[in-house]
Amino acid sequence: MQTQIHTLDKAGIINELQFGNGISHAIQEGRRADFSFILSLFSDDVRDSTPVEKLTQIDTTEEALRRRFELSQPQALRSDQESYPLAATQAKLFHSSGLPSAKLCHYLKPDALTYMPEDTFNLPEDVYHNLSGHQRRQLGETESKPLIPIDLYNQLIAAQRSFQIQTQV
């Protein structure tokens, strides 16, 4: 019996066309049990019996559009470690060749819009240094602390009882 069930599961019966005349004979002869059994074997997933076309999704991310129209990278809003040498180069060009040279360098590769302090978790430096050590540590934690399970007491009692049973055996 078990192998018959697995055979029916693997058959992948989707609609009445796969049974041929079996349904019409069951209807004509009044065999309700056979008819209901055959209907129960049909797939209830609409995607099995409805033709569905696979749509290709067009990549419209900002990076893809920048590649397509050959645009340069946008100006960074915040500074990072790579911003400082670029700013130094632009300052050097300003002092040696003037404002047009510094502007040209900025237009070719723009530097960051603002230079914020680093390693302060996006807080102003005076606010970050005013935090306690515990608050700074909490800002640095990436994983959330696991919550205490609701049924902790029941788990502890069950563990104690199983330990007592093991020690008595």
Side-chain angles (χ1 to χ4, degrees):
M1 181 67 174
Q2 187 71 11
T3 58
Q4 291 174 349
I5 293 172
H6 289 299
T7 306
L8 287 175
D9 287 344
K10 292 179 184 176
I13 300 166
I14 296 172
N15 56 29
E16 63 275 3
L17 296 176
Q18 293 171 310
F19 278 105
N21 296 332
I23 291 181
S24 67
H25 288 305
I27 292 172
Q28 288 173 358
E29 296 172 10
R31 296 183 312 212
R32 290 184 176 189
D34 291 345
F35 179 75
S36 61
F37 175 69
I38 291 172
L39 284 182
S40 70
L41 293 177
F42 292 163
S43 173
D44 59 349
D45 191 357
V46 73
R47 294 172 295 180
D48 288 339
S49 59
T50 306
V52 178
E53 294 180 27
K54 184 175 182 179
L55 297 176
T56 56
Q57 188 171 357
I58 300 171
D59 187 15
T60 57
T61 60
E62 182 178 348
E63 186 61 35
L65 292 174
R66 286 191 174 281
R67 272 184 276 133
R68 181 174 177 196
F69 296 113
E70 298 177 5
L71 298 174
S72 64
Q73 291 298 319
Q75 182 176 8
L77 298 177
R78 253 190 102 147
S79 62
D80 56 3
Q81 287 299 319
E82 297 172 2
S83 301
Y84 294 103
L86 182 61
T89 304
Q90 289 179 1
K92 182 180 175 186
L93 286 172
F94 173 75
H95 288 294
S96 64
S97 304
L99 186 60
S101 178
K103 278 186 174 182
L104 177 63
C105 182
H106 173 73
Y107 292 142
L108 290 175
K109 185 156 173 89
D111 64 338
L113 193 60
T114 61
Y115 283 82
M116 300 289 288
E118 293 182 5
D119 299 328
T120 59
F121 301 99
N122 296 329
L123 295 172
E125 201 167 357
D126 55 343
V127 172
Y128 180 76
H129 289 299
N130 200 24
L131 296 175
S132 70
H134 296 291
Q135 291 169 328
R136 286 188 212 146
R137 181 182 44 81
Q138 287 176 348
L139 286 174
E141 291 177 353
T142 56
E143 295 179 9
S144 61
K145 293 180 181 178
L147 298 175
I148 297 174
I150 295 173
D151 61 339
L152 177 64
Y153 181 74
N154 294 335
Q155 290 177 4
L156 291 173
I157 295 296
Q160 181 185 14
R161 296 288 183 226
S162 65
F163 177 72
Q164 289 173 349
I165 291 171
Q166 288 175 358
T167 56
Q168 289 178 358
V169 174

